[in-house]
Amino acid sequence: MPDEKPEIPRSGLRGSIVREAEDLGIDNTNFVKAALKWQYNWIGLAGAAAFALVSGSGFPLLLAAGLELIYVSLVPQSSRFRRLVRSWQYAEEKRKNEVNLQALFQEIPPEMRLHYAKLDELCCSIRENYSRLSSTSQIFVKEMQDRLDGLLQGYLRLLNAEHQHLQYLRNTNPETIKREHDLLERTLASEPAKVQEINRKRIEILAKRLEKFNKIHENCEVIHAQCAATEDVLQLIRDQSVTLRDPQQVSDQLEGLVHDVEQTEQTVREVESIFELATPENSLTFNPASSDSNVVNRPQTRVRN
């Protein structure tokens, strides 16, 4: 049998279910357009057209047009219809989110999937312990569960970013780039004017590559530390949940951890965007990576017990 693709633990997808529709940025919805596209509206219009065709009279079409105007003026203002439209968009956003998370999960190597699975087990254990609290505490428990879900998704995105960074570091030899950069600088003055113009651009590109390598190496260490901190804090919360500590305090603690994870993600995105914008506008159409024949062996992905 062909190998089946690994699937992300289902509890890691809960965050897309428990979030409110407003958090998904779907408040500014065109409800009139949604009402016009609703299948029951089309069924009614098609029925009126068919009846007009069978009867040979235009009256059913006139009646349908009048009813359509009333429908368009009333239905989009209905709170029940608006909730229905938001639920459609919410379900679609949830589906897209699950597809994206599943794709991220499949991209990371098995050892990272194991890290995620262990963290997911920790979150399940925390949820189970706090589910035994009284009904008056459940509002805080739900808030804590939402933050656990957001934390799991952020952790998965960090793992994916760490995997991509490690791949880059393993496949890039900074010493080779530096040697080529220095060689071009030494021989620049002796080259013809046209060659100098081209080589100045090459030197600029190679300098950017060295800068990018150093920043990605730094980013990798930051991501590694944030992932380790996330694991440690959740293990502590799991231990505290055995004694059923105040869920409000735990929720606040999780909020701070989610904020740290989001800040780390934002830092990674900002660095990536900086280097995208820093690419020389008139860069040459050659492949600097061809010089990286001797790649540096990088440490393998961490394995925490």
Side-chain angles (χ1 to χ4, degrees):
M1 294 179 62
D3 294 337
E4 295 183 356
K5 291 183 179 180
E7 291 190 359
I8 185 172
R10 297 306 298 177
S11 64
L13 303 176
R14 282 168 39 92
S16 57
I17 299 174
V18 297
R19 290 181 301 166
E20 296 295 334
E22 288 78 6
D23 295 337
L24 301 176
I26 58 178
D27 285 346
N28 299 326
T29 303
N30 189 335
F31 294 103
V32 174
K33 183 178 178 180
L36 290 172
K37 294 173 63 176
W38 198 15
Q39 60 176 342
Y40 295 110
N41 181 49
W42 285 104
I43 290 172
L45 293 175
F51 185 69
L53 182 64
V54 171
S55 65
S57 170
F59 178 74
L61 294 179
L62 292 174
L63 180 61
L67 291 175
E68 183 72 7
L69 289 175
I70 297 173
Y71 168 81
V72 169
S73 63
L74 294 180
V75 171
Q77 306 303 321
S78 169
S79 59
R80 294 182 62 183
F81 178 75
R82 292 191 171 204
R83 286 196 298 271
L84 178 62
V85 173
R86 287 195 178 101
S87 70
W88 295 338
Q89 295 176 317
Y90 183 49
E92 178 62 19
E93 182 71 16
K94 177 176 74 70
R95 186 193 65 79
K96 290 179 180 179
N97 188 52
E98 290 181 357
V99 170
N100 291 337
L101 290 174
Q102 186 65 47
L104 290 178
F105 186 75
Q106 292 175 4
E107 288 176 6
I108 60 178
E111 60 268 25
M112 286 187 171
R113 292 176 196 153
L114 181 60
H115 282 301
Y116 181 86
K118 289 181 177 179
L119 201 73
D120 183 71
E121 289 178 3
L122 274 177
C123 291
C124 289
S125 177
I126 293 170
R127 291 189 190 99
E128 183 179 354
N129 289 339
Y130 279 104
S131 66
R132 298 194 295 267
L133 290 176
S134 63
S135 58
T136 56
S137 301
Q138 288 305 307
I139 184 174
F140 300 116
V141 173
K142 182 181 182 301
E143 184 178 308
M144 179 190 65
Q145 289 177 344
D146 291 351
R147 286 174 178 157
L148 281 174
D149 297 331
L151 190 61
L152 274 173
Q153 295 182 23
Y155 182 81
L156 178 57
R157 289 190 293 269
L158 286 181
L159 286 180
N160 185 268
E162 182 181 16
H163 172 58
Q164 293 178 354
H165 283 44
L166 287 173
Q167 280 188 317
Y168 175 86
L169 294 177
R170 281 193 289 263
N171 295 325
T172 305
N173 187 348
E175 294 301 324
T176 301
I177 300 174
K178 190 175 187 306
R179 283 197 300 269
E180 186 172 355
H181 176 274
D182 294 344
L183 178 62
L184 286 172
E185 282 193 328
R186 286 197 303 269
T187 60
L188 184 64
S190 61
E191 300 288 354
K194 289 292 185 181
V195 176
Q196 286 186 24
E197 182 181 353
I198 295 173
N199 283 346
R200 285 193 187 96
K201 294 175 182 178
R202 292 185 63 193
I203 289 170
E204 182 181 358
I205 292 171
L206 291 171
K208 291 293 183 184
R209 293 189 66 202
L210 284 172
E211 184 183 355
K212 180 177 182 179
F213 181 90
N214 293 332
K215 196 61 184 178
I216 285 180
H217 188 275
E218 179 185 338
N219 270 357
C220 202
E221 293 179 349
V222 171
I223 293 171
H224 179 97
Q226 184 61 65
C227 287
T230 300
E231 295 168 6
D232 292 340
V233 170
L234 284 180
Q235 287 173 354
L236 174 62
I237 292 175
R238 191 272 312 273
D239 296 341
Q240 292 171 338
S241 70
V242 174
T243 58
L244 297 181
R245 186 185 173 193
D246 180 8
Q248 176 62 60
Q249 296 180 17
V250 174
S251 181
D252 293 342
Q253 190 174 10
L254 281 173
E255 183 179 13
L257 186 56
V258 169
H259 179 68
D260 291 342
V261 170
E262 289 175 348
Q263 279 194 324
T264 302
E265 288 186 86
Q266 181 63 26
T267 300
V268 172
R269 286 194 296 267
E270 287 175 354
V271 170
E272 290 174 349
S273 63
I274 287 172
F275 282 107
E276 287 176 2
L277 294 174
T279 302
E281 293 181 359
N282 299 319
S283 59
L284 302 174
T285 57
F286 72 100
N287 182 12
S290 61
S291 62
D292 300 346
S293 55
N294 300 318
V295 298
V296 177
N297 292 327
R298 295 291 161 192
Q300 297 297 318
T301 306
R302 61 192 170 84
V303 176
R304 290 167 56 87
N305 296 323

